[in-house]
């Protein structure tokens, strides 16, 4: 396929096959599914059955409470970044959008489609799609940077056998953040000499980083650390449900490793690498690899329960509900307009009575405009005016009361 321009003819993109980005997304999802299938094949079925049987009413309520606190903290972090880059974001909308994002990430492959929906929705709501997307990307990068820094700091608390999976998980997350930062820095330095389009985009992104993250870093980092504590608490609940009796300080490094693995873009709704790394970490800590898988599955189930309020947000924003809400609003507006019109007619009738005139109605007693109003000083054929002319002119200064 060719495309003709003012400078000549150039070759266009191939028409066959899916776009490269779509192929990469499918490759990442397929890799996550393969890792999850390998874990399921390697461990016995009782490992997963124990996780499902351990979920009851108490853990469900606990997951909903911890999930609510964590979601509110993450929404507050997103709002801080959005306000820093100059976008408006009401707090209630931030919480609802974040709940919907968490739910979509949990039920859809790749684990990032909820964030994409949140970024596009906020960009359209605020009137600046590009800046809305950058605000979500920055918010997610801050969370990952705090998680990677915490994992690197906790490596000293891990047993020697954990250095393999620990360094792999921490290195992968830290490498992703460092690669993005280095690419941005190199692009700014290399493109400064020429006003290229991508250099202007990087310069805009750098300005958003300064105003949205660095200018508000104490609040952003504090909210990220508090949200991370919520995730760790939910993982500790899953460990206790699985029968793990190890103290919490020993569990925290293992939990951070699992969260780092879950943040990698090679998963199916968060599943896959998390189970593999948790099995390795628990096995290296002499807590049992099968126990680690059970804990990871329990954490996945509790995370899904914690994200269920996002399903209510999704239903409330469905096209059918929005259409019904629009019809109800139109009906209320029509009733208000009808009430205003009726009140206007009543006020006109009251003014007419105050002036000594009969109410303005139609000839048959109907509403105004249907018939003609009777003349106040005659029968409508001009005889009233003739009687006034026979009586002569009225004295000057005489009022209506005389």
């Amino acid at each position: 396929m060719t495309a003709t321009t003012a400078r000549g003819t150039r070759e266009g993109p191939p028409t066959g096959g899916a776009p490269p980005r779509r192929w990469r997304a499918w490759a990442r999802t397929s890799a996550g599914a393969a890792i999850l299938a390998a874990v399921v094949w390697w461990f016995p079925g009782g490992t997963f059955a124990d996780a499902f049987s351990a979920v009851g009413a108490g853990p469900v309520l606990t997951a909903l409470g911890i999930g609510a606190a964590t979601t509110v903290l993450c929404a507050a972090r997103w709002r801080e970044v959005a306000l820093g880059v100059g976008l408006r974001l009401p707090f209630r909308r931030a919480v609802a959008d974040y709940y919907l994002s968490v739910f979509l990430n949990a039920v859809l492959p790749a684990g990032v489609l909820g964030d994409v929906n949140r970024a596009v929705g906020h960009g359209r709501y605020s009137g600046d799609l590009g800046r809305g997307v950058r605000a979500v990307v920055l918010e997610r990068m801050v969370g990952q940077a705090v998680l990677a820094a915490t994992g690197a700091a906790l490596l000293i608390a891990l047993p020697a056998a954990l250095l393999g999976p620990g360094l792999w998980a921490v290195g992968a997350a830290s490498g992703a953040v460092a690669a993005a930062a280095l690419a941005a820095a190199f692009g700014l330095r290399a493109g400064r000499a020429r006003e290229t389009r991508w250099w202007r985009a990087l310069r805009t992104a750098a300005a958003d980083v300064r105003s949205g993250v660095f200018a508000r870093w104490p609040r952003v980092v504090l909210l990220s650390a508090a949200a991370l504590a919520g995730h760790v608490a939910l993982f500790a609940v899953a460990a206790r449900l699985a029968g793990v009796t190890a103290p919490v300080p020993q569990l925290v490094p293992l939990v951070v490793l699992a969260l780092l693995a879950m943040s990698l873009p090679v998963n199916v709704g968060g599943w896959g690498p998390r189970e593999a790394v948790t099995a390795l970490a628990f096995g290296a800590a002499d807590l049992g690899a099968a126990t680690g898988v059970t804990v990871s599955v329990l954490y996945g189930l509790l995370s899904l329960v914690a994200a269920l309020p996002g399903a209510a947000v999704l239903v409330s924003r469905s096209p059918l509900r929005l259409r019904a809400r629009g019809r109800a609003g139109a009906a209320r507006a029509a009733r208000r307009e009808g009430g205003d019109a009726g009140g206007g007619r009543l006020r006109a009738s009251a003014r007419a009575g105050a002036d000594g005139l009969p109410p303005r109605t139609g000839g048959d007693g109907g509403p105004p405009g249907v018939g003609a109003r009777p003349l106040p000083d005659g029968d409508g054929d001009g005889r009233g005016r003739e009687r006034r002319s026979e009586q002569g002119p009225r004295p000057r200064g005489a009022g209506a009361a005389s």
Side-chain angles (χ1 to χ4, degrees):
M1 177 180 177
T2 59
T4 304
T5 61
R7 296 184 178 181
T9 302
R10 61 179 176 84
E11 292 293 331
T15 58
R21 291 183 179 178
R22 185 177 301 176
W23 278 111
R24 288 196 293 269
W26 279 109
R28 290 194 297 266
T29 304
S30 300
I35 296 174
L36 182 60
V39 172
V40 173
W41 174 79
W42 183 265
F43 292 94
T47 303
F48 304 93
D50 293 340
F52 282 92
S53 61
V55 178
V60 166
L61 294 177
T62 303
L64 288 173
I66 295 176
T70 305
T71 304
V72 169
L73 290 169
C74 292
R77 178 182 64 192
W78 176 34
R79 186 171 181 269
E80 284 290 333
V81 175
L83 293 178
V85 301
L87 298 179
R88 60 189 182 96
L89 181 59
F91 186 72
R92 289 183 59 185
R93 182 182 180 89
V95 174
D97 286 357
Y98 218 100
Y99 254 123
L100 178 59
S101 173
V102 172
F103 176 74
L104 294 179
N105 284 342
V107 299
L108 295 178
V112 295
L113 296 181
D115 296 320
V116 173
N117 178 75
R118 174 163 59 98
V120 174
H122 180 227
R124 291 175 177 174
Y125 167 79
S126 59
D128 193 336
L129 182 59
R131 187 162 291 177
V133 172
R134 289 194 296 272
V136 172
V137 172
L138 289 177
E139 180 262 333
R140 294 295 294 166
M141 287 187 65
V142 169
Q144 295 302 314
V146 171
L147 177 61
T150 304
L154 288 175
L155 273 179
I156 59 176
L158 297 177
L162 273 183
L163 291 179
L167 287 177
W168 176 79
V170 174
S174 304
V177 175
L182 287 176
F186 177 77
L188 286 172
R189 186 176 182 84
R192 186 172 299 171
R194 299 190 309 170
E195 288 285 339
T196 58
R197 182 178 179 181
W198 59 267
W199 181 74
R200 289 194 297 269
L202 281 177
R203 186 173 59 183
T204 303
D208 288 339
V209 170
R210 288 192 297 269
S211 59
V213 178
F214 292 157
R216 296 170 175 256
W217 72 266
R219 290 189 295 271
V220 172
V221 172
L222 181 62
L223 290 170
S224 300
L228 177 59
H231 293 301
V232 172
L234 188 60
F235 221 111
V237 171
R240 290 294 182 258
L241 289 176
V244 178
T245 58
V248 174
Q250 184 180 353
L251 292 176
V252 170
L254 311 180
V255 171
V256 173
L257 285 180
L259 294 176
L260 284 169
M262 189 176 65
S263 66
L264 299 177
V266 184
N267 59 73
V268 182
W271 300 80
R274 180 185 63 207
E275 284 68 35
V277 171
T278 307
L280 291 174
F282 272 68
D286 294 330
L287 296 176
T291 302
V293 174
T294 302
V295 172
S296 181
V297 173
L298 270 170
Y299 176 80
L301 294 176
L302 294 178
S303 299
L304 182 59
V305 169
L308 284 181
V313 178
L314 180 63
V315 172
S316 67
R317 295 181 180 180
S318 64
L320 293 178
R321 289 293 300 272
L322 293 177
R323 194 176 299 116
R325 194 179 304 170
R327 286 197 297 265
R332 286 193 298 269
R335 287 195 296 270
R336 284 196 300 268
E337 292 176 359
D340 294 341
R345 287 195 294 269
L346 291 176
R347 288 190 295 271
S349 300
R351 285 196 300 268
D355 294 337
L357 301 177
R360 183 175 181 179
T361 59
D364 55 353
V370 176
R373 188 175 64 189
L375 294 176
D377 53 358
D379 52 3
D381 56 358
R383 286 189 290 236
R385 287 190 294 273
E386 292 175 2
R387 285 195 296 271
R388 284 200 304 270
S389 62
E390 293 173 358
Q391 294 173 1
R394 301 177 63 180
R396 180 173 298 177
S402 62

